[in-house]
Amino acid sequence: MIIYRADVEESSYTGRRDWLNSRKVFDGLAHVQPDRTFEARSPERETAQERLRIFLPWGTDVDSADRIRFEGRTYEVDGSPMHWNYGSIRHVRVRAWRVEH
């Protein structure tokens, strides 16, 4: 699993993330579980959403605006990562999602 982060490029109207020049902030093992999948079929559009629940080692640098590369697919981090610092199994939990057209 690889986590990427991109800086915000400011323009005269708005700011956007420069994913072409992103940098790797984590490259290692993680525990990944499927969360949910959704499909919406209609004559105009056919999409599928996939969500994952990812458990990363304690102290992993991950942010809500990062992207995750897992098994050849790119996922967006969904919400703020949860830092679990209780008991003997400390970890960082992240939810990730992607949409396929």
Side-chain angles (χ1 to χ4, degrees), residues 13-81:
Y13 296 106
T14 186
R16 66 173 188 83
R17 298 216 175 259
D18 181 16
W19 288 109
L20 295 175
N21 297 311
S22 64
R23 65 189 182 283
K24 189 186 309 184
V25 293
F26 176 79
D27 187 355
L29 298 175
H31 180 77
V32 180
Q33 297 177 350
D35 193 5
R36 297 185 252 182
T37 58
F38 301 96
E39 288 188 27
R41 295 178 184 245
S42 69
E44 298 85 28
R45 182 182 349 170
E46 193 172 314
T47 62
Q49 263 189 55
E50 180 183 9
R51 294 183 181 271
L52 300 176
R53 191 174 301 150
I54 302 168
F55 298 89
L56 296 162
W58 178 253
T60 301
D61 183 23
V62 61
D63 190 60
S64 61
D66 292 343
R67 288 187 177 172
I68 296 173
R69 188 90 174 144
F70 176 67
E71 292 187 343
R73 296 183 179 121
T74 302
Y75 296 83
E76 304 279 337
V77 173
D78 185 20
S80 296

